[in-house]
Amino acid sequence: MKKRFLAWVLVLCLLVSALPFQARAASVIASGKLNGFTWVIDDSGTMIVVGTGKFTTEGSGSQLPWHAYKSQVNKVVLDDGVTSFDTTFLSAFENLTDVSLPASLTEVGASHFVDCNKLNYLTVDFQNPNFFSLNNVLYTKDQSTLIYCPKSIGGTYTIPAEVKTIGRHAFSGNKNLTGVKFQGKVTKIEDRAFYECSYLTQITLPESLETIGASAFENCDSLTEVILPAALTEIKTATFRSCDALTSVVIGDSVTSIGDDAFNGCAALESISIPDGVTSIGDYVFYDCNALT
């Protein structure tokens, strides 16, 4: 028992020593072990997770051992050794503003931050060979894929020239985003990339764009006009569903099919140009498009 206690004290000392100097005076208010990992919460609101492999929480809400501190935690630090974590883990903290990811991380996506509505700071250890953070936006290391942009980032966001793919759910649910500019040659916008970006009013899609995923712009209530690039060959399911303010759409000559519900619920849509090459139009494509003339 004495050896076990000494080992536990050593772990706490190591965790505290890993913190910046200013934070070392913080006191531990909660700690424990879960599935081979050690977690510690201090009175500054920082939670540190130490272990090796995937951090699996296997539960939610009151089932989690740190549930009583969900409103107090504002920063989560995953220590080097953590390779991945459950997609529900970060959603447990309603006031989370800061997440620090380790060099050992091999797996992460936008779904890991889906409920992190107050997240401002997202950093990745510069030695991580897989991921990279630039101005709190998460990318693959080579910056070819934009993985996740925190919902706190607003205004017009400029996509860096290196980016080729906008990842699944990358901007999903961002209520502060009003515009998007592309510097480079993005070829793919994945499913739900801009889903429910309610204040997105303008986006000029690059001519290099070849693929727009399902529901990519669904529920973008403020989007008024869309010009689809010539390289695009398909409009997928529910791509622009319920874009209430959308009044006109120009479709490029290369498009051959329009998927189910593509413009369903676009109540303000007045005109749409469909090229001769379109051979397939899915179900309910223009359902509830009552202004279409």
Side-chain angles (χ1 to χ4, degrees), residues 13-283:
C13 289
L14 289 172
L15 290 175
V16 171
S17 67
L19 293 172
F21 179 77
Q22 303 95 306
R24 292 182 189 178
S27 300
V28 173
I29 60 174
S31 60
K33 291 190 175 182
L34 182 65
N35 298 326
F37 286 78
T38 300
W39 60 272
V40 175
I41 299 174
D42 66 30
D43 59 3
S44 73
T46 297
M47 178 180 185
I48 301 176
V49 177
V50 177
T52 303
K54 181 175 182 177
F55 180 45
T56 304
T57 54
E58 295 179 353
S60 61
S62 59
Q63 298 173 322
L64 298 172
W66 49 77
H67 176 69
Y69 304 92
K70 67 175 185 176
S71 63
Q72 293 176 245
V73 173
N74 52 59
K75 181 176 183 178
V76 169
V77 178
L78 299 177
D79 197 54
D80 199 35
V82 178
T83 58
S84 61
F85 54 98
D86 283 354
T87 55
T88 56
F89 170 53
L90 296 177
S91 65
F93 308 110
E94 55 196 38
N95 292 314
L96 186 65
T97 60
D98 193 332
V99 173
S100 179
L101 303 176
S104 55
L105 200 72
T106 60
E107 179 185 343
V108 68
S111 57
H112 288 87
F113 309 99
V114 66
D115 292 319
C116 298
N117 296 321
K118 297 181 180 180
L119 187 63
N120 288 314
Y121 306 103
L122 178 58
T123 57
V124 182
D125 189 297
F126 72 95
Q127 295 185 11
N128 188 298
N130 306 297
F131 306 108
F132 168 74
S133 176
L134 177 64
N135 298 326
N136 301 304
V137 177
L138 183 64
Y139 300 87
T140 52
K141 190 68 173 184
D142 62 2
Q143 216 173 331
S144 64
T145 298
L146 191 158
I147 299 172
Y148 177 71
C149 178
K151 295 180 178 68
S152 60
I153 293 178
T156 297
Y157 185 77
T158 300
I159 308 294
E162 295 82 0
V163 175
K164 299 294 184 290
T165 299
I166 309 297
R168 180 181 173 87
H169 287 286
F171 292 88
S172 184
N174 189 320
K175 309 298 182 186
N176 297 306
L177 189 71
T178 58
V180 179
K181 291 183 178 179
F182 297 85
Q183 285 189 329
K185 295 184 177 181
V186 171
T187 60
K188 186 176 184 180
I189 296 176
E190 294 188 343
D191 296 354
R192 297 196 168 207
F194 295 94
Y195 178 77
E196 287 191 346
C197 290
S198 302
Y199 294 96
L200 178 64
T201 59
Q202 58 180 3
I203 182 168
T204 301
L205 299 173
E207 287 302 314
S208 56
L209 189 64
E210 299 173 358
T211 304
I212 301 178
S215 299
F217 294 95
E218 184 175 354
N219 288 338
C220 289
D221 299 334
S222 300
L223 194 63
T224 58
E225 182 183 11
V226 172
I227 298 176
L228 300 178
L232 193 70
T233 60
E234 179 183 10
I235 301 174
K236 295 191 176 181
T237 300
T239 300
F240 297 99
R241 180 163 57 189
S242 298
C243 290
D244 296 340
L246 191 63
T247 58
S248 65
V249 178
V250 178
I251 299 176
D253 291 337
S254 296
V255 172
T256 59
S257 66
I258 301 175
D260 296 346
D261 296 292
F263 299 97
N264 186 335
C266 293
L269 185 63
E270 297 175 351
S271 65
I272 185 166
S273 172
I274 300 176
D276 292 340
V278 172
T279 58
S280 172
I281 295 179
D283 295 334

